[in-house]
Amino acid sequence: MATDVKVPVLGESITEATIGEWLKQPGDPVKADEPIASLETDKVAVEVPSPVAGVMGAHAAKPGDTVEVGAVIAVIEEGGAAASAPAAAAKPAPAAAPAQIVAPAPAPAPAADDESGPPPLSPAVRRLVLEHGLDPSSIKGSGKDGRLTKDDVMAAVKSGAAQPAAAPATTPAPATAALPATGGRREERVRMTRLRQTIARRLKEAQDTAAMLTTFNDVDMTAVMEARAKYKDLFEKKHGVRLGFMGFFVKAACQALKDVPSVNASIDGDEIVYRDYVDVSVAVSAPNGLVVPVIRDAQDLSVAGIERTIGDFGKRAKDGTLKMDEMKGGTFTISNGGVFGSLMSTPIINPPQSAVLGLHRIEERPVVRDGQIVARPMMYLALSYDHRLIDGREAVTFLVALKNAIEDPTRLLIDL
């Protein structure tokens, strides 16, 4: 008996997806609810679980194909090869029966090896592994079920922990089929993922629609760094999450947005929509690229609540378990390029939002304090905004309010 595997409901207004990769191949044993395929939607990657236990049957679509919600993409043979062996043995065997019985016997062995072996690699991770010539089995995966992520591979490259891939022990190919060992010029064409296509389209729409401008400021991180160093152990012990910088910036941004409401507003036709709440979109890294989940009603959360929410988003982004609804409806975005080493950037707004705050790396720079040149841990801030709605005066006022709150965190407690 075969059971159809269908594309699940993907969220409101999402009617189709793209096959990202097959996690199980025909003949592989599968367990009930075990992921067998990865689908890419406009915003997230979604895993398709097996509805029953059995053996993977034929694929009805290949990676890169677009499939609609409810479409059959594969079948699961219940019992599969395991059930067919006794049946074959029960039938009267002709003279060649021993050979017929022995022939399929090795088939389950590779399947068992596949199940207990390393999890499959995503296309992006596979490219990185090949580019750097690494053995993926020597890298510890942090993703779901121990899968490798792009961050795992890059961390292994930087630390030198990964082993080089072993040379394949195969018969040498004919000389005419061999690629040049050195000096070759090769190109690779890889189809853009649905997520990357959506990102490209929306960013271009933002440039075409909004009158974008970026205003810069810098902030002395001394006070926040001292507070973090002093309280991080107690904070983690009490709240179960590490104290980072984003909690301070989200809290300070909420306070500054209250003082400059146009930065939290949006344009709808010929009307301006002002809000008395702040839903902060926070860019976090996922295996397939950056995703932007939303912290709802951030203005009502404590620093601990903000850090817990961000920590949960980061973990589930790596596992690929973020939900569609968690990435909709933000009113203001904070993007921290500093974690990748960025010194300065001009971030692009995420329509229909009207502004995005870019954070960057912290580095010691000479500044003047009380007539003396001293070294201070400084960070550049960048606010990109829609000039149709936000004037330069309002953008600068917002950045100054944010700067004051970060340089003197007491202001966050007494609402200054």
Side-chain angles (χ1 to χ4, degrees), residues 135-215:
D135 177 7
S137 63
S138 67
I139 307 174
K140 185 176 180 181
S142 62
K144 187 176 182 180
D145 298 328
R147 292 181 192 165
L148 286 183
T149 67
K150 294 194 322 189
D151 291 341
D152 296 331
V153 177
M154 294 311 299
V157 171
K158 291 180 181 178
S159 65
Q163 300 296 322
T170 57
T171 304
T176 55
L179 289 171
T182 58
R185 288 162 54 87
R186 295 188 294 178
E187 294 181 351
E188 180 184 8
R189 290 181 179 268
V190 180
R191 183 174 178 175
M192 292 175 69
T193 64
R194 180 177 289 270
L195 175 61
R196 177 52 58 185
Q197 291 178 42
T198 302
I199 291 172
R201 184 179 69 253
R202 288 182 59 80
L203 292 180
K204 186 57 181 172
E205 287 174 356
Q207 289 185 320
D208 292 342
T209 303
M212 279 202 297
L213 180 65
T214 302
T215 296

Side-chain angles (χ1 to χ4, degrees), residues 258-322:
K258 185 169 63 174
D259 295 338
V260 191
S262 61
V263 181
N264 192 45
S266 63
I267 294 176
D268 184 9
D270 57 358
E271 297 178 333
I272 300 174
V273 181
Y274 292 99
R275 304 175 177 91
D276 65 353
Y277 60 89
V278 181
D279 290 344
V280 180
S281 303
V282 181
V284 296
S285 182
N288 292 327
L290 287 178
V291 293
V292 192
V294 179
I295 305 174
R296 309 286 178 189
D297 293 315
Q299 77 283 352
D300 297 330
L301 295 178
S302 64
V303 171
I306 293 169
E307 291 290 359
R308 274 196 298 265
T309 304
I310 294 174
D312 176 60
F313 283 155
K315 181 178 182 300
R316 291 194 290 121
K318 288 187 176 181
D319 293 343
T321 57
L322 283 173

Side-chain angles (χ1 to χ4, degrees), residues 367-374 376:
V367 296
V368 177
R369 295 288 184 269
D370 300 323
Q372 301 294 319
I373 299 177
V374 294
R376 287 286 188 269

Side-chain angles (χ1 to χ4, degrees), residues 48-404:
V48 180
S50 173
V52 295
V55 174
M56 189 71 196
H59 298 162
K62 61 182 183 294
D65 286 353
T66 297
V67 290
E68 295 183 353
V69 171
V72 176
I73 57 174
V75 293
I76 302 295
E77 302 288 345
E78 296 186 33
S84 64
K91 293 181 181 179
Q100 293 174 350
I101 294 174
V102 172
D113 291 342
D114 289 343
E115 187 175 17
S116 60
L121 303 179
S122 69
V125 172
R126 190 178 298 113
R127 281 201 303 273
L128 278 179
V129 168
L130 292 174
E131 286 173 3
H132 294 279
L134 303 179
D135 177 7
S137 63
S138 67
I139 307 174
K140 185 176 180 181
S142 62
K144 187 176 182 180
D145 298 328
R147 292 181 192 165
L148 286 183
T149 67
K150 294 194 322 189
D151 291 341
D152 296 331
V153 177
M154 294 311 299
V157 171
K158 291 180 181 178
S159 65
Q163 300 296 322
T170 57
T171 304
T176 55
L179 289 171
T182 58
R185 288 162 54 87
R186 295 188 294 178
E187 294 181 351
E188 180 184 8
R189 290 181 179 268
V190 180
R191 183 174 178 175
M192 292 175 69
T193 64
R194 180 177 289 270
L195 175 61
R196 177 52 58 185
Q197 291 178 42
T198 302
I199 291 172
R201 184 179 69 253
R202 288 182 59 80
L203 292 180
K204 186 57 181 172
E205 287 174 356
Q207 289 185 320
D208 292 342
T209 303
M212 279 202 297
L213 180 65
T214 302
T215 296
F216 298 93
N217 210 323
D218 63 0
V219 58
D220 187 340
M221 296 292 291
T222 301
V224 166
M225 292 178 70
E226 288 177 350
R228 182 173 181 267
K230 183 176 181 179
Y231 296 112
K232 65 179 181 179
D233 293 336
L234 289 173
F235 185 91
E236 186 170 3
K237 183 177 180 180
K238 179 176 181 179
H239 300 291
V241 65
R242 294 179 60 188
L243 176 60
F245 296 125
M246 283 297 288
F248 290 97
F249 275 103
V250 171
K251 197 70 179 172
C254 289
Q255 186 167 293
L257 290 171
K258 185 169 63 174
D259 295 338
V260 191
S262 61
V263 181
N264 192 45
S266 63
I267 294 176
D268 184 9
D270 57 358
E271 297 178 333
I272 300 174
V273 181
Y274 292 99
R275 304 175 177 91
D276 65 353
Y277 60 89
V278 181
D279 290 344
V280 180
S281 303
V282 181
V284 296
S285 182
N288 292 327
L290 287 178
V291 293
V292 192
V294 179
I295 305 174
R296 309 286 178 189
D297 293 315
Q299 77 283 352
D300 297 330
L301 295 178
S302 64
V303 171
I306 293 169
E307 291 290 359
R308 274 196 298 265
T309 304
I310 294 174
D312 176 60
F313 283 155
K315 181 178 182 300
R316 291 194 290 121
K318 288 187 176 181
D319 293 343
T321 57
L322 283 173
K323 300 177 182 177
M324 289 289 197
D325 291 342
E326 293 174 315
M327 289 182 283
K328 294 180 179 179
T331 63
F332 179 76
T333 295
I334 299 179
S335 178
N336 186 7
V339 297
F340 304 108
S342 170
L343 176 65
M344 189 178 293
S345 67
T346 56
I348 300 177
I349 62 176
N350 181 25
Q353 298 176 22
S354 296
V356 53
L357 175 68
L359 308 182
H360 302 91
R361 76 169 185 251
I362 302 169
E363 65 175 9
E364 285 199 340
R365 292 199 293 270
V367 296
V368 177
R369 295 288 184 269
D370 300 323
Q372 301 294 319
I373 299 177
V374 294
R376 287 286 188 269
M378 304 296 293
M379 176 196 288
Y380 286 118
L381 305 175
L383 182 73
S384 291
Y385 54 96
D386 190 344
H387 211 346
R388 297 177 302 166
L389 173 61
I390 303 167
D391 295 329
R393 175 181 59 84
E394 294 168 315
V396 172
T397 301
F398 171 85
L399 283 176
V400 170
L402 186 75
K403 171 184 173 75
N404 290 338

